[in-house]
Amino acid sequence: MSQRQPQSPQQSGLDQPRSQMQQGWSREEQEPIKYGDVFNVTGDLAKEPIAPEDANMMQSAETRVFGQTQKGGAAASMQAAATVNERSGLVGHREATDAASERGVTVMEADVPGARIVTERVAGQVTFLFYHLSLFLKIFGILYLYLC
């Protein structure tokens, strides 16, 4: 009858976070959350990891436009992804991507008759689009659908 040899902590997986042990993957196999995983973007931006400084830039832009970070906006999504990436050791605390730092992060708000439109972009690509119709347009739309 053979007996199992004791394993070192590294062999047994005890040096990995509990969630990694349960899921059966190691830090080397894990990939960072990328822009393409969170937003409908393409090209090089889709392959870039979301970094903490990218999220900070978007939070600053939202705060300049709205006075605060928007719940459910691009900054909130970016912050959540960047936190996961950082805690996993996949990006540094002060890391920023070239996409955000060189090509920019913007938040624009436009008030047009009957609606408010918010567009948030990273490297020129839309990451978040929100529009809010005025009460008049909502009522008009319902009446139009009802009468037609």
Side-chain angles (χ1 to χ4, degrees):
M1 182 185 253
S2 66
Q3 292 183 349
R4 296 178 76 189
Q5 295 294 322
Q7 294 181 330
S8 70
Q10 191 172 28
Q11 290 172 325
S12 66
L14 295 176
D15 63 335
Q16 296 176 4
R18 186 173 192 80
S19 63
Q20 288 182 359
M21 288 177 14
Q22 291 171 345
Q23 294 177 2
W25 45 264
S26 67
R27 180 173 286 174
E28 293 83 31
E29 295 170 357
Q30 184 180 6
E31 293 216 6
I33 300 171
K34 299 176 181 129
Y35 280 96
D37 298 330
V38 178
F39 303 111
N40 188 21
V41 295
T42 59
D44 292 339
L45 181 61
K47 300 171 192 166
E48 292 274 350
I50 300 176
E53 284 301 311
D54 296 6
N56 290 341
M57 285 185 257
M58 185 60 80
Q59 285 179 334
S60 293
E62 283 188 4
T63 301
R64 277 192 307 273
V65 173
F66 307 117
Q68 64 184 13
T69 301
Q70 300 297 290
K71 281 188 175 183
S77 299
M78 289 171 69
Q79 188 62 54
T83 299
V84 169
N85 287 344
E86 183 181 352
R87 287 185 180 163
S88 300
L90 301 167
V91 297
H93 181 67
R94 291 285 171 207
E95 191 171 332
T97 61
D98 290 341
S101 60
E102 293 178 8
R103 292 181 273 171
V105 170
T106 60
V107 176
M108 293 174 41
E109 178 181 37
D111 287 316
V112 296
R116 176 177 155 238
I117 302 169
V118 174
T119 307
E120 301 188 36
R121 299 173 192 259
V122 174
Q125 293 196 46
V126 174
T127 55
F128 182 78
L129 178 64
F130 170 81
Y131 60 93
H132 177 73
L133 299 177
S134 70
L135 181 59
F136 172 77
L137 283 182
K138 288 178 186 176
I139 292 171
F140 178 76
I142 292 169
L143 288 174
Y144 179 80
L145 291 174
Y146 179 75
L147 296 173
C148 291

